[in-house]
Amino acid sequence: MKGYILIAEEQELKLIEDLGLNADEWQVVITGVGALNIMQSTRSIPKDALVVNIGYAGSSNFEIGSWVDVIEARLHHPKVTYPEPTKLLNVRAKEVGVTPDIADKMHQAVCYSGVDFVTESIFRDCAFDMEVAFISGMGFTRLCSIKYVSDNLDIHTYREVGAGVDAR
């Protein structure tokens, strides 16, 4: 086993194959959406294990269907006036075996995680999800996150392109 792949919903299993990863070589964990599900489903994973988070994300300007190799995870609570925690992710998509034809085209960007579906933002050149900042907060020392842009901050497009459920 190479490590753990964390996905929020079963519908995201197809993304593992799309990236050229062999799910049989990994322990795949379906976490559920959001912070509490992340905490429950990852508490027994060793902190020094290789952990790869794969899932859907929105973006205000990345093209739908593109991939993001997350370089930094940040919490996203728009009305908060104090600085929120950030975490640099120290493992890149190529290092976990993503096929070069996909890895070489990935955006490298920040991903903001919140508790609500983001429908508008002043932030550009980033992605929005509901998991990676919470995963990074669990203290894993070898963490990679790869996001598939399912929508441009539009829940209707997300439902058509993404998982088909309200997972982000």
Side-chain angles (χ1 to χ4, degrees), residues 18-21 65-71 91-109 144-147:
D18 291 349
L19 290 167
L21 301 175
S66 62
W67 292 93
V68 176
D69 188 359
V70 178
I71 57 172
V91 181
R92 302 278 56 89
K94 270 187 179 178
E95 296 172 59
V96 299
V98 172
T99 58
D101 61 316
I102 294 176
D104 290 342
K105 296 176 189 170
M106 286 185 171
H107 303 282
Q108 289 197 344
C144 176
S145 182
I146 303 165
K147 299 296 176 178

Side-chain angles (χ1 to χ4, degrees), residues 28-101:
V28 177
V29 178
I30 301 173
T31 63
V33 177
L36 291 176
N37 287 322
I38 295 299
M39 288 186 274
Q40 278 189 306
S41 61
T42 64
R43 66 178 172 230
S44 64
I45 297 175
K47 299 303 179 214
D48 62 346
L50 175 59
V51 175
V52 180
N53 165 239
I54 299 173
Y56 294 111
S59 176
S60 61
N61 65 301
F62 291 148
E63 186 176 321
I64 293 172
S66 62
W67 292 93
V68 176
D69 188 359
V70 178
I71 57 172
E72 184 176 314
R74 298 180 184 173
L75 285 175
H76 180 62
H77 298 99
K79 297 192 185 334
V80 169
T81 58
Y82 53 84
E84 293 195 88
T86 65
K87 169 118 183 197
L88 295 175
L89 276 61
N90 58 359
V91 181
R92 302 278 56 89
K94 270 187 179 178
E95 296 172 59
V96 299
V98 172
T99 58
D101 61 316

